[in-house]
Amino acid sequence: MNDTPNGTSTLNINRDSDEPAYAQVVRILSQEIAEGAYRAGAQLPSESQLRARFSVSGMTVRRAINILVDRGIISASQGKGTFVRGLDMREAAFRLRERHDSPLLGPSVQVRLLQAAILTADERIARKLDISRGKRVVYLRRLISQPDGPVMYHREYMVYDPRRPTVEAELQITSLEGLFRGQGGQGLRRGDLGLEAVALSEEEADALQMPVGSPALCLEHIFYDFENHPVAWGWFICRADHFRLLGRIGPETSLGAES
Amino acid sequence: MNDTPNGTSTLNINRDSDEPAYAQVVRILSQEIAEGAYRAGAQLPSESQLRARFSVSGMTVRRAINILVDRGIISASQGKGTFVRGLDMREAAFRLRERHDSPLLGPSVQVRLLQAAILTADERIARKLDISRGKRVVYLRRLISQPDGPVMYHREYMVYDPRRPTVEAELQITSLEGLFRGQGGQGLRRGDLGLEAVALSEEEADALQMPVGSPALCLEHIFYDFENHPVAWGWFICRADHFRLLGRIGPETSLGAES
DNA sequence: TTGACAGACTTATATATATAAGTATATAAT
DNA sequence: ATTATATACTTATATATATAAGTCTGTCAA
């Protein structure tokens, strides 16, 4: 067995395991970095050394290294070597998907449509949706509630296009998962999101049963179609005490589906 | 030339380009998906078809597909095929690194140390840092300012360990970049982050020159060493009007360094 | 009609090999 | 001493090939 810098004998991959070889290499190297066998700034063994240690082909090592580079755990520069990166708070990512505090995507959350109307675009709406003032838009208001009370308030403006079946589909949504996923069912190309802290307006405070001026998270969204025209603009007002984004920096011990 | 579902003749890769073949495949497929040649739910050509179309080896196509899967643009299931995924707001990631509204990491931002003290841990601090009550901790307060005024207020508690050089290094920090990156210089393994909306306390409002109760973003951080013990706990209070996180969902046209 | 099975298709993993290209260092020539 | 060159190392890209394994479909027999 080879030795790591800290003197302990190295782990190796298990050929009988169901876990692919490249994934095992990723996991083992991540673990050793996490345990301090390789500190920040240290150089990892070269590709050929790793190939010899794990008894795998170059491509397998290469793939593992690429994954670690993708995750921001190491950095590789051609001709020099691969090095362990230190923690960098800027690399942290907050995903809506995972690890809020509260289970917002379960069946216990209820989405209620408060209002559905067709109105004419004012200056602000027209600019956001890239249409001319006075054009008709669909206006939706929703309230997302948990058993213990409302937690999010949603407002949305959509360009009114009878050919597009999006509007009808939108009206049927009854779960937050449908609201988050359903928007992009068909005909949408991409979306831009913004996240900021706001104070509750009178209307929002009333809906969320909170005092006016309470802090809240505003999650704004704009969706574009394949011609890159805005289709929908809206925002979620989330009660601060029910919505907290979690992130992490540093090596992960678990392995997701990766390249 | 082959034809895509929408009838236009397909792009192909350029062997003379500096751009690697796998990257070109990623770019072209991303573009075609973004332009609507393959809609959400549609099945992409099989690996062997793509291999024939681009005149590359299977591994190259495979790598490109893995990258697209990683990005959440397509999903591949063994034995069935690869399919274009629709937009899913839950997949959106907000990174601290990129795309705030304001340039927080430039030389125009100033980090000023307001206070550095050693005090004894109360119940709350002891629990967060996993130490016993009464133990000594280093307490730091910082104010991060732009030319037009203060934008962030930082408080941090660190376990007091004379052997660790972290404290001295922390005191020297004068840039936000150093503050974000320097924490993990050495001896730190990972960090957990939290992001939520808060209302400014009297102390915070005073420092940020804002009314008490104004909305703000609170970015909490805990850093752990290689024995998985908390080393530092702190949080940034960010003026809501200067700190807005941006994210995006859907195919990216640009190509970063990927596996 | 139903069920079992074979075959064709798909993605997934892994190997061995070749070539390209960036970096550092030792060596030889000036 | 300085400069140029050769060499040995590194990562990066790409090919051809083999095997495994999941999914669907048609065929044949009961």
Side-chain angles (χ1 to χ4, degrees), chain A residues 22-38:
Chain A
Y22 76 91
Q24 293 190 46
V25 174
V26 168
R27 180 175 47 77
I28 291 174
L29 289 180
S30 282
Q31 246 172 48
E32 289 178 350
I33 291 172
E35 286 163 0
Y38 305 104

Side-chain angles (χ1 to χ4, degrees), chain A residues 33-36 38-41 59 63 66-67 69-70 86-98 105 177 179-199 213 215-217 219-221 223 226 236 240 243-251 253 257-259, chain B residues 33-36 38-41 59 63 66-67 69-70 86-98 105 177 179-199 213 215-217 219-221 223 226 236 240 243-251 253 257-259:
Chain A
I33 291 172
E35 286 163 0
Y38 305 104
R39 295 298 173 99
M59 281 300 296
R63 185 169 182 184
N66 281 330
I67 290 174
V69 171
D70 269 10
L87 297 189
D88 190 334
M89 221 191 288
R90 290 169 300 175
E91 294 299 320
F94 297 93
R95 294 189 180 279
L96 292 178
R97 168 166 41 100
E98 50 195 350
L105 295 173
E177 188 174 343
L179 196 54
F180 272 18
R181 192 177 49 193
Q183 303 254 20
Q186 291 291 336
L188 295 183
R189 179 196 184 190
R190 65 182 186 91
D192 284 335
L193 300 181
L195 189 70
E196 62 184 331
V198 296
L217 269 183
L219 174 63
E220 183 184 357
H221 56 86
F223 289 104
F226 289 103
F236 293 85
F243 204 79
R244 175 185 166 88
L245 291 169
L246 300 181
R248 148 180 290 217
I249 45 181
T253 21
E258 294 277 340
S259 41
Chain B
I33 292 171
E35 287 163 0
Y38 305 103
R39 295 299 175 101
M59 281 301 296
R63 186 170 182 182
N66 281 331
I67 290 174
V69 171
D70 269 10
L87 297 189
D88 190 333
M89 220 191 287
R90 290 169 301 176
E91 294 300 318
F94 297 94
R95 292 188 181 280
L96 292 178
R97 170 167 38 101
E98 49 194 349
L105 294 173
E177 187 174 344
L179 196 54
F180 272 18
R181 193 179 49 192
Q183 303 254 21
Q186 291 293 334
L188 295 182
R189 179 195 184 191
R190 66 182 186 90
D192 284 336
L193 300 182
L195 190 69
E196 61 184 331
V198 296
L217 269 183
L219 174 64
E220 184 185 356
H221 57 86
F223 289 104
F226 289 104
F236 294 86
F243 204 78
R244 175 186 167 88
L245 291 169
L246 300 181
R248 146 180 291 217
I249 45 180
T253 21
E258 294 277 340
S259 44

Side-chain angles (χ1 to χ4, degrees), chain B residues 51-92:
Chain B
R51 202 175 62 195
R53 168 181 166 190
F54 292 115
S55 306
V56 294
S57 74
M59 281 301 296
T60 302
V61 169
R62 198 97 274 287
R63 186 170 182 182
I65 287 178
N66 281 331
I67 290 174
L68 290 172
V69 171
D70 269 10
R71 295 195 188 168
I73 296 175
I74 65 177
S75 67
S77 54
Q78 186 174 144
K80 295 180 68 176
T82 57
F83 302 88
V84 179
R85 297 182 54 174
L87 297 189
D88 190 333
M89 220 191 287
R90 290 169 301 176
E91 294 300 318

Side-chain angles (χ1 to χ4, degrees), chain B residues 169-238:
Chain B
E170 283 279 307
L171 298 180
Q172 309 301 328
I173 292 173
T174 57
S175 74
L176 193 59
E177 187 174 344
L179 196 54
F180 272 18
R181 193 179 49 192
Q183 303 254 21
Q186 291 293 334
L188 295 182
R189 179 195 184 191
R190 66 182 186 90
D192 284 336
L193 300 182
L195 190 69
E196 61 184 331
V198 296
L200 288 184
S201 71
E202 197 166 340
E203 179 188 347
E204 296 158 354
D206 192 53
L208 291 176
Q209 300 170 22
M210 296 278 286
V212 174
S214 302
L217 269 183
C218 175
L219 174 64
E220 184 185 356
H221 57 86
I222 303 183
F223 289 104
Y224 300 86
D225 63 13
F226 289 104
E227 281 77 43
N228 226 22
H229 291 137
V231 172
W233 168 50
W235 58 94
F236 294 86
I237 302 292
C238 313

Side-chain angles (χ1 to χ4, degrees), chain A residues 37 82 90 123 138 141 198 203:
Chain A
T82 56
R90 290 169 300 175
E123 177 59 30
V138 178
R141 288 195 303 125
V198 296
E203 178 188 349

